Amino acid sequence: MTAIFEETAIKSMTMRNRLIRSATWEGMCDQDGRPTEKLINWYRDLALGGIGLIVTGYAYVRPDGKHNTGQMGIHTHDFADDYKQMTHAVHVAGGKIAVQLVHGGGQSDAKIAGRRPFAPSAVKVDQFPEMPEELTKDEIDKIVAAFGKAAFRAKMWGFDAVQLHGAHGFLINQFLSPLTNRRTDAYGGSIENRSRFMLEVYRKVRDTVGVDYPVLIKLNAADFVEGGLEIDEAIYAAEKLAEAGIDAIEVSSGTPASGKNSPVRVKITNPKKEAYNLELARRIKKAVNCPVVVVGGFRSYKVVEKALRNYGMDYIAMSRPLIREPGLANRWLQGNRNPARCISCNSCFMGGLEEGGIYCVTEKKVKEKAAGQ
Ligand SMILES: Cc1cc2nc3c(=O)[nH]c(=O)nc-3n(C[C@H](O)[C@H](O)[C@H](O)COP(=O)(O)O)c2cc1C
Ligand code: SF4
């Protein structure tokens, strides 16, 4: 029977349990994308807290794919020492770490990315801040190459795996979505063509890191925007990835334009509202033969257990619960099985945008109140 605290392996990467820290932008890098000591300590603390695998916040593979302030960059060899310190800190603390690779495409912001954003097509949709420029075939090839180079650096610098960001409306997802991809060449039209960019990125990364190195993807199973990617086509994309040799698929959903169905849903106040991508993930799991990870609203030990045992999930990923409680995995392991204390208010984003790094605002308020401030 699948148990939460069971050691597993994805290729060479062993994990002490089935709990994963889902990629979470922390806003703790300098303006060039270089990781800071604060960020390295953040990952060390997560590893000390017992989580099986940490996926870093999204790291841009080219500066024109940067999406957010304080975001990690993995576009240059200049940060080698900083990244080596990061992976070393996690390993010494007993953890494993994968880096998430992204290009923001049309969701990039010209002020942050330094130029007008590129996208599969020049369409202005709600999820894009402005009208992007359509990618030429030459630029597509260069971005594919940039993913390969980023994966090479990741492996050299001690990361245990890489994860491609194919969710939440970023570039890979933009190619998959019929809303944002209106191309008439080999990258647009049928789902076969819309999957081409994703598969080219995957193959380039695989060729670079070799067959033994874990390559994962976070994939939208549905965009929840009119005209966007839907489950049947996401299943096709997942099947193709599995056939091509992907090592695990983390199932998510939504884009910044998906309203209450955003990737980061609020008001998860009872177990019924938890695990909001579980049905989608079950459909993906039925179609593929690789491990499937599910993310989105996991808060209770019992819901996590049920997703593993009754829904066939291989791993459960969480983001916000670990901002409030980096030691959640160890707390559960040691027998305190109360739900995660995160109340899904999303106030943590503000710290990353305005105060040099995310933190749990609710926890801070609770502590201040207890201290009588
Ligand atoms: C502050 C913050 C930053 C996030 N950054 C990323 C990211 O870099 N990459 C990503 O794939 N998802 C990102 N997410 C989404 C989470 O990984 C996760 O999919 C979502 O929060 C739902 O899981 P949860 O209910 O466990 O928080 C972020 C979420 C939060 C709250
Ligand atoms: S601020 Fe704290 S309680 Fe609110 S979503 Fe973020 S981690 Fe959870």
Side-chain angles (χ1 to χ4, degrees), residues 22-25 56-58 100 165 168 218 250 252 263-264 268 276 295-299 317-321 323 346 348-349 358:
S22 200
T24 304
W25 155 83
T56 67
Y58 54 177
Q100 189 184 52
H165 198 343
H168 305 173
K218 186 166 181 176
E250 178 179 349
S252 191
V264 191
I268 303 161
Y276 49 77
V295 67
F298 284 90
R299 302 291 179 265
M318 292 177 283
S319 165
R320 291 166 289 177
I323 299 174
N346 284 358
C348 36
F349 280 96
I358 57 169

Coordinates of all heavy atoms in Angstrom, one line a residue, residues 22-25 56-58 100 165 168 218 250 252 263-264 268 276 295-299 317-321 323 346 348-349 358, ligand 1:
S22 N 6.2 22.1 -4.0 CA 5.9 22.5 -5.3 C 6.6 23.8 -5.6 O 6.8 24.6 -4.7 CB 4.4 22.7 -5.6 OG 4.1 22.6 -6.9
A23 N 7.0 24.0 -6.9 CA 7.8 25.2 -7.2 C 7.1 26.5 -6.6 O 5.9 26.7 -6.8 CB 7.9 25.4 -8.7
T24 N 7.9 27.3 -6.0 CA 7.3 28.5 -5.4 C 8.3 29.7 -5.5 O 9.4 29.6 -5.0 CB 7.1 28.3 -3.9 OG1 6.2 27.1 -3.7 CG2 6.4 29.5 -3.2
W25 N 7.9 30.7 -6.3 CA 8.8 31.9 -6.5 C 8.8 32.5 -5.1 O 7.8 32.7 -4.4 CB 8.1 32.8 -7.5 CG 8.4 34.3 -7.3 CD1 9.5 34.9 -7.8 CD2 7.6 35.2 -6.6 NE1 9.5 36.2 -7.4 CE2 8.3 36.5 -6.7 CE3 6.4 35.2 -5.9 CZ2 7.8 37.7 -6.2 CZ3 5.9 36.4 -5.4 CH2 6.6 37.6 -5.5
T56 N 12.5 24.2 -6.8 CA 12.8 25.6 -6.6 C 11.7 26.5 -7.3 O 10.9 26.0 -8.1 CB 14.1 26.1 -7.3 OG1 13.9 26.0 -8.7 CG2 15.3 25.3 -6.8
G57 N 11.6 27.8 -7.0 CA 10.8 28.7 -7.7 C 11.3 28.7 -9.2 O 12.4 28.2 -9.5
Y58 N 10.4 29.1 -10.1 CA 10.7 29.1 -11.5 C 11.9 29.9 -11.8 O 12.1 31.0 -11.3 CB 9.5 29.5 -12.3 CG 8.9 30.9 -12.1 CD1 7.8 31.3 -12.9 CD2 9.2 31.7 -11.0 CE1 7.2 32.5 -12.7 CE2 8.6 32.9 -10.8 CZ 7.6 33.3 -11.7 OH 7.0 34.5 -11.5
Q100 N 13.2 24.4 -11.3 CA 12.1 24.5 -12.3 C 12.5 25.5 -13.4 O 12.9 26.7 -13.1 CB 10.8 25.0 -11.6 CG 9.6 25.0 -12.6 CD 8.3 25.6 -12.1 OE1 8.3 26.7 -11.6 NE2 7.3 24.8 -12.2
H165 N 8.6 23.9 -16.7 CA 7.3 24.6 -16.3 C 6.4 24.6 -17.5 O 6.5 25.4 -18.4 CB 7.6 26.0 -15.8 CG 6.4 26.6 -15.0 ND1 5.2 26.0 -15.0 CD2 6.4 27.6 -14.1 CE1 4.4 26.8 -14.2 NE2 5.1 27.7 -13.6
H168 N 0.4 26.9 -15.8 CA 0.1 28.3 -15.4 C 0.2 29.3 -16.5 O 0.5 30.5 -16.2 CB 0.9 28.6 -14.1 CG 0.8 27.6 -13.0 ND1 1.5 27.7 -11.9 CD2 0.0 26.5 -12.9 CE1 1.2 26.6 -11.1 NE2 0.2 26.0 -11.7
K218 N 5.8 20.1 -14.9 CA 4.6 20.5 -14.3 C 3.7 20.9 -15.4 O 4.0 21.8 -16.2 CB 4.8 21.7 -13.3 CG 3.6 22.1 -12.5 CD 4.0 23.1 -11.4 CE 2.9 23.5 -10.5 NZ 3.4 24.3 -9.4
E250 N 3.8 16.5 -12.9 CA 3.0 17.2 -11.8 C 1.8 17.9 -12.4 O 2.0 18.7 -13.3 CB 3.9 18.2 -11.1 CG 3.2 18.9 -10.0 CD 4.1 19.9 -9.2 OE1 5.3 19.9 -9.4 OE2 3.5 20.7 -8.4
S252 N -1.3 20.3 -12.6 CA -1.8 21.6 -12.0 C -2.9 22.1 -13.0 O -3.2 21.4 -14.0 CB -0.7 22.6 -11.8 OG -1.1 23.7 -11.1
P263 N -4.3 28.9 -10.5 CA -3.5 27.8 -9.9 C -3.4 27.9 -8.4 O -3.2 26.8 -7.8 CB -2.1 28.1 -10.5 CG -2.4 29.0 -11.7 CD -3.6 29.8 -11.4
V264 N -3.7 29.0 -7.8 CA -3.4 29.2 -6.4 C -4.8 29.7 -5.8 O -5.0 30.8 -5.5 CB -2.4 30.4 -6.2 CG1 -1.9 30.4 -4.8 CG2 -1.1 30.1 -7.1
I268 N -9.5 27.7 1.0 CA -9.6 26.2 1.2 C -9.9 25.9 2.6 O -8.9 25.7 3.4 CB -8.3 25.5 0.7 CG1 -8.1 26.0 -0.8 CG2 -8.4 24.0 0.8 CD1 -6.7 25.8 -1.3
Y276 N -7.8 20.2 -5.3 CA -8.7 20.7 -6.4 C -8.3 20.2 -7.8 O -9.0 20.4 -8.7 CB -9.0 22.2 -6.3 CG -7.8 23.1 -6.2 CD1 -7.0 23.4 -7.2 CD2 -7.5 23.7 -4.9 CE1 -5.9 24.3 -7.1 CE2 -6.5 24.6 -4.7 CZ -5.6 24.8 -5.8 OH -4.6 25.7 -5.7
V295 N -0.8 18.6 -7.4 CA -0.6 19.8 -6.5 C -2.0 20.6 -6.5 O -2.8 20.4 -7.4 CB 0.5 20.7 -7.1 CG1 0.1 21.3 -8.4 CG2 0.8 21.8 -6.1
G296 N -2.2 21.3 -5.5 CA -3.3 22.2 -5.4 C -4.2 22.0 -4.3 O -5.1 21.1 -4.3
G297 N -4.0 22.7 -3.2 CA -4.9 22.7 -2.1 C -4.8 21.6 -1.1 O -5.8 21.3 -0.3
F298 N -3.7 20.9 -1.1 CA -3.6 19.8 -0.1 C -3.3 20.4 1.3 O -2.3 21.2 1.5 CB -2.5 18.8 -0.5 CG -3.0 17.8 -1.5 CD1 -2.8 18.2 -2.9 CD2 -3.7 16.7 -1.2 CE1 -3.3 17.4 -3.9 CE2 -4.1 15.8 -2.2 CZ -3.9 16.2 -3.6
R299 N -4.1 20.1 2.3 CA -3.9 20.6 3.6 C -4.0 19.6 4.7 O -3.4 19.7 5.8 CB -5.0 21.7 3.9 CG -5.1 22.8 2.9 CD -3.9 23.8 3.0 NE -3.9 24.9 2.1 CZ -3.3 24.8 0.9 NH1 -2.6 23.8 0.5 NH2 -3.4 25.9 0.1
A317 N 2.2 17.3 -4.0 CA 3.0 18.5 -3.9 C 2.3 19.6 -3.2 O 1.0 19.7 -3.3 CB 3.5 19.0 -5.3
M318 N 3.0 20.4 -2.4 CA 2.4 21.5 -1.7 C 3.3 22.8 -1.8 O 4.5 22.6 -1.8 CB 2.2 21.2 -0.2 CG 1.2 20.1 0.0 SD 1.1 19.7 1.8 CE 2.5 18.7 2.0
S319 N 2.6 23.9 -1.8 CA 3.4 25.2 -1.8 C 3.1 26.0 -0.6 O 4.0 26.1 0.3 CB 3.0 26.0 -3.1 OG 3.4 27.3 -3.0
R320 N 1.9 26.6 -0.5 CA 1.6 27.5 0.6 C 1.7 26.9 2.0 O 2.3 27.5 2.9 CB 0.2 28.2 0.4 CG 0.2 29.1 -0.8 CD -1.2 29.5 -1.2 NE -1.9 28.4 -1.8 CZ -3.1 28.4 -2.2 NH1 -3.9 29.5 -2.1 NH2 -3.7 27.3 -2.8
P321 N 1.3 25.6 2.2 CA 1.4 25.1 3.5 C 2.9 25.1 4.1 O 3.1 25.2 5.3 CB 1.0 23.6 3.4 CG 0.0 23.7 2.2 CD 0.6 24.7 1.3
I323 N 5.1 27.4 3.2 CA 5.6 28.8 3.5 C 5.2 29.0 5.0 O 6.1 29.6 5.7 CB 4.8 29.8 2.6 CG1 5.1 29.6 1.1 CG2 5.2 31.2 3.0 CD1 4.3 30.4 0.1
N346 N -3.4 33.9 0.5 CA -2.5 34.4 -0.6 C -1.8 35.7 -0.2 O -1.2 36.4 -1.1 CB -3.2 34.5 -1.9 CG -3.3 33.2 -2.6 OD1 -2.9 32.2 -2.1 ND2 -4.0 33.1 -3.7
C348 N 0.9 35.9 1.2 CA 2.4 35.7 1.1 C 3.0 36.3 -0.1 O 4.2 36.6 -0.1 CB 2.7 34.2 1.3 SG 1.6 33.1 0.5
F349 N 2.2 36.5 -1.2 CA 2.8 37.1 -2.4 C 3.4 38.5 -2.2 O 4.4 38.8 -2.8 CB 1.7 37.2 -3.5 CG 1.5 35.9 -4.2 CD1 0.5 35.0 -3.8 CD2 2.3 35.5 -5.3 CE1 0.2 33.8 -4.5 CE2 2.1 34.3 -6.0 CZ 1.0 33.5 -5.6
I358 N 9.0 36.3 0.1 CA 7.7 35.9 0.6 C 7.9 35.5 2.1 O 9.0 35.1 2.5 CB 7.2 34.7 -0.2 CG1 8.1 33.5 -0.2 CG2 6.8 35.2 -1.6 CD1 7.5 32.3 -0.8
Ligands
LIG1 C1 4.1 32.6 -3.5 C2 3.9 31.6 -4.6 C3 4.7 31.5 -5.6 C4 4.5 30.5 -6.6 N1 5.5 30.3 -7.6 C5 5.4 29.3 -8.5 C6 6.4 28.9 -9.4 O1 7.5 29.5 -9.4 N2 6.2 27.9 -10.2 C7 5.0 27.2 -10.2 O2 4.9 26.2 -11.0 N3 4.1 27.4 -9.3 C8 4.2 28.4 -8.5 N4 3.2 28.6 -7.5 C9 2.1 27.7 -7.5 C10 2.3 26.6 -6.5 O3 3.4 25.8 -6.9 C11 1.1 25.7 -6.4 O4 0.8 25.1 -7.7 C12 -0.2 26.4 -6.0 O5 0.2 27.3 -4.9 C13 -1.2 25.4 -5.4 O6 -0.7 24.6 -4.3 P1 -0.9 24.9 -2.8 O7 -2.4 24.9 -2.5 O8 -0.2 23.8 -2.1 O9 -0.3 26.3 -2.5 C14 3.4 29.6 -6.5 C15 2.5 29.8 -5.5 C16 2.7 30.7 -4.5 C17 1.8 30.8 -3.3

